[in-house]
Amino acid sequence: MSKPNVIFILIDDLGWNDLSFTGSSFYETPNIDRLAAAGMNFTNAYATCPVCSPTRASILSGRYPARLGLTNFIGRDGHWEQGSEKGKLLSAPYIPYLPTTEYSIAKAFRENGYQTWHVGKWHVGEGKYCPENHGFDVNIGSYKMQHGYFAPWNTPYLPSKSSDDYLTDRLGDEAEKLIMESGGTPFFMHMCFYQVHIPLMAKTDRIAKYEQKAKSMGLDKVRAIVKGGHFSSERLKDKHIMRRIIQSDPVYAAMIEHLDDNIGKILDAVDRKGIAENTIIVFTSDNGGLSTAEGSPTCNAPLAEGKGWVYDGGVKVPLAITWPDRITADSNTDAIVCSTDFYPTLLEAAGLQFQPEQHLDGKSFFQALEGKTGIDRGPIFWHYPHYSNQGSEPACSIRKGDWKLIEFFDGPVELYNLAEDVGENNDLASKYPEIVSELLAELHKWQDEMHAVKPEPNPDWKPWREASLKSID
């Protein structure tokens, strides 16, 4: 059989349960549900960072963000200066690009005879760090972020055609065209929608649909609550955290439906082209849903917090993979996997040689795709030495089996048993000091191996005044 095509669909800021098949009763995603039903759903899939750029770099390189030195999102000016985020600590410095010395997964596929296409958001460097210099033959619509979904948009490589163009529709059209004109050579498509990142923008008819749905479900007046959260209010950066307590935002719901429409275009193109049986389709997100800032458009409950936090709401993501020739339809796995693991897994699936000097941190989960159980890829780690836009503080974390330990860089350590406490509500650190010691030692050893850059003390720090707590309707 010929080498399989690979379509890697990466969504921006999509929460773990922002889809019908993962539990949402408000959002509607029939096409994504169709994709998931045709293959395998992963219930323990994780992004390697609670924000976008580091996760994207991990997927492309097979390496943890800490090893790459790219540990935070790349700002609008191409970088984020150390000390611009201040609290008790100064956020750690980081590089604003994925080095071209990395032998990316696109380079590996291209050098094995694949066509390689990047479509949509990039956000791992500009100029000499663009997709063309990371192994992609085609680059459509790449940019680090956009400032609007309706034309004219601020996205190079994809000029708008008319004043009513909607960016997500254009990206779906371009992906469909590439598939239909692909010829007989296998392809690797890196399909990265800007959706559902803010700004919240959708077509008026879809917004009206979900306004009516919210009203009929009694959700139109349910918004959010302002409270201290997982740690005491005096540790907050002198500000309130607005958390959405239920999925109810009509514009966000409309954006998800627009996204789903364009996933449908891709699935239909694969079917029309007659290549479905030999095409691997991966669907996932770069981090958890945005639930504690910037309008708090979604809710990740029962998971804790969301984008920008190392709690599971910020790093646990949806993952569905379909390959009709090899993966059993409507199957599930509880195998723990993370962003670094896609590189070796997809190479193995395509019958290509591993690149062990490159994907140092990735572990192939191909056996899970074949239906095997009891797979243990070992612990996974997070290193986020930054104050996030979403209200979190610099922290690192390890998940090993059912145990998850979080260490905040200014001192506190928390321990959770995720098998019994998916919401990370019951801190067991004082009850199991031996497990804390074991996991801390493993986390610190890993940080040393990564040469992970840690935040420094802020010499000008003064205690923040205690934030007041109040509710809003």
Side-chain angles (χ1 to χ4, degrees), residues 131-180:
E132 296 94 319
N133 292 328
H134 277 291
F136 289 99
D137 302 319
V138 172
N139 172 18
I140 297 174
S142 74
Y143 199 45
K144 54 189 174 183
M145 59 185 68
Q146 45 70 40
H147 305 289
Y149 287 93
F150 289 101
W153 47 66
N154 186 27
T155 304
Y157 304 101
L158 187 63
S160 56
K161 291 182 177 179
S162 66
S163 59
D164 61 351
D165 263 1
Y166 190 71
L167 178 58
T168 308
D169 291 342
R170 280 295 310 282
L171 292 175
D173 291 345
E174 295 294 333
E176 178 183 27
K177 181 179 179 181
L178 284 169
I179 293 168
M180 297 307 298

Side-chain angles (χ1 to χ4, degrees), residues 348-363:
E348 185 172 2
L352 308 182
Q353 289 186 341
F354 285 140
Q355 302 293 328
E357 294 184 0
Q358 176 60 53
H359 49 73
L360 287 170
D361 304 316
K363 308 291 183 183

Side-chain angles (χ1 to χ4, degrees), residues 56-354:
R56 293 166 185 272
S58 278
I59 292 168
L60 289 164
S61 69
R63 300 189 177 197
Y64 277 117
R67 189 189 292 276
L68 293 168
L70 175 51
T71 54
N72 205 0
F73 73 92
I74 300 169
R76 282 186 170 85
D77 56 354
H79 66 287
W80 196 273
E81 295 289 352
Q82 181 185 19
S84 63
E85 304 156 303
K86 296 179 181 179
K88 187 175 181 180
L89 304 171
L90 298 176
S91 287
Y94 60 96
I95 62 173
Y97 53 82
L98 176 65
T100 54
T101 52
E102 300 293 334
Y103 185 74
S104 74
I105 188 172
K107 291 178 181 177
F109 272 108
R110 185 168 69 179
E111 292 187 11
N112 280 278
Y114 275 71
Q115 305 172 77
T116 54
W117 311 325
H118 171 82
V119 182
K121 181 174 179 176
W122 182 240
H123 210 174
V124 289
E126 298 179 71
K128 66 179 181 180
Y129 306 108
C130 66
E132 296 94 319
N133 292 328
H134 277 291
F136 289 99
D137 302 319
V138 172
N139 172 18
I140 297 174
S142 74
Y143 199 45
K144 54 189 174 183
M145 59 185 68
Q146 45 70 40
H147 305 289
Y149 287 93
F150 289 101
W153 47 66
N154 186 27
T155 304
Y157 304 101
L158 187 63
S160 56
K161 291 182 177 179
S162 66
S163 59
D164 61 351
D165 263 1
Y166 190 71
L167 178 58
T168 308
D169 291 342
R170 280 295 310 282
L171 292 175
D173 291 345
E174 295 294 333
E176 178 183 27
K177 181 179 179 181
L178 284 169
I179 293 168
M180 297 307 298
E181 297 178 355
S182 60
T185 304
F187 61 81
F188 171 72
M189 175 185 284
H190 190 231
M191 180 72 233
C192 301
F193 287 100
Y194 289 85
Q195 218 96 324
V196 286
H197 197 287
I198 57 171
L200 299 187
M201 301 177 73
K203 300 174 186 177
T204 55
D205 60 331
R206 298 294 178 89
I207 296 173
K209 170 185 173 179
Y210 286 98
E211 286 175 339
Q212 181 59 40
K213 184 172 184 177
K215 184 176 182 180
S216 68
M217 295 175 68
L219 303 177
D220 52 320
K221 294 182 180 178
V222 179
R223 291 172 55 197
I225 187 170
V226 179
K227 59 181 182 180
H230 271 68
F231 41 73
S232 59
S233 59
E234 64 267 18
R235 292 187 60 232
L236 296 177
K237 293 169 52 184
D238 196 24
K239 64 181 181 181
H240 301 307
I241 302 296
M242 186 178 76
R243 292 172 175 81
R244 184 168 293 275
I245 60 175
I246 197 166
Q247 294 175 346
S248 59
D249 188 296
V251 184
Y252 188 82
M255 290 178 72
I256 285 182
E257 186 168 339
H258 289 321
L259 172 66
D260 186 78
D261 289 343
N262 286 281
I263 300 296
K265 289 179 186 176
I266 294 171
L267 300 181
D268 292 344
V270 168
D271 288 340
R272 292 200 312 275
K273 187 69 174 177
I275 57 175
E277 295 302 310
N278 198 35
T279 298
I280 302 168
I281 303 179
V282 180
F283 175 91
T284 192
S285 178
D286 60 355
N287 49 251
L290 178 60
S291 64
T292 64
E294 299 158 308
S296 306
T298 195
C299 175
N300 300 303
L303 303 184
E305 308 299 11
K307 177 182 179 179
W309 303 72
V310 296
Y311 293 108
D312 265 19
V315 291
K316 195 170 188 179
V317 292
L319 171 60
I321 303 179
T322 180
W323 187 11
D325 189 50
R326 300 292 292 272
I327 299 174
T328 302
D330 203 22
S331 56
N332 294 276
T333 180
D334 61 1
I336 299 171
V337 303
C338 71
S339 309
T340 59
D341 300 340
F342 291 118
Y343 195 142
T345 301
L346 292 174
L347 290 186
E348 185 172 2
L352 308 182
Q353 289 186 341
F354 285 140

Side-chain angles (χ1 to χ4, degrees), residues 375-398:
I375 297 170
D376 182 8
R377 60 93 63 219
I380 55 177
F381 303 90
W382 295 271
H383 180 79
Y384 191 59
H386 309 284
Y387 292 98
S388 76
N389 290 350
Q390 296 76 33
S392 184
E393 299 184 348
C396 52
S397 184
I398 174 175

